[in-house]
Amino acid sequence: MKIEPPEAGVARQVWEETGIHVEVDELTGVYNKTTRGIVALACRCKPSGGNERTSSESTAVSWLTPDEVSERMAEVYAIRLLDALDGAGPHTRSHNGKHLIPEG
């Protein structure tokens, strides 16, 4: 069995779900959904080609400003994009599926 490097997996998933080819820049966050024991890793990526499209795993593909991210996305997903943009990561955050759980 061939094991896919994490960066290749990120690039493949983004292309499959959005039609956009990306170059993976860096890990920007680790997000723990405490109610289900799921850990998600988020990476900042740079677009390198492709054509925007939806898939069976996406309902829309949009380029958003940080303000639009905060307005249009649920808190637990918006923070992943905002963390990727702030350049201070990687961040580690927990959430219950709806809201972030304060650190400490």
Side-chain angles (χ1 to χ4, degrees), residues 6-77:
E7 294 83 358
V10 169
R12 179 183 50 74
Q13 282 294 123
V14 171
W15 181 81
E16 286 177 0
E17 295 178 20
T18 68
I20 302 297
H21 294 284
V22 297
E23 296 174 18
V24 179
D25 186 17
E26 66 181 324
L27 177 71
T28 59
V30 178
Y31 303 89
N32 178 21
K33 184 175 184 179
T34 59
T35 56
R36 297 201 50 212
I38 296 171
V39 175
L41 306 177
C43 297
R44 183 174 41 244
C45 299
K46 298 174 187 173
S48 61
N51 295 303
E52 300 162 2
R53 60 159 172 73
T54 59
S55 72
S56 62
E57 296 182 80
S58 62
T59 58
V61 178
S62 300
W63 300 99
L64 304 174
T65 66
D67 287 340
E68 291 169 325
V69 166
S70 296
E71 292 167 8
R72 295 175 55 182
M73 297 180 71
E75 173 185 50
V76 296
Y77 299 108

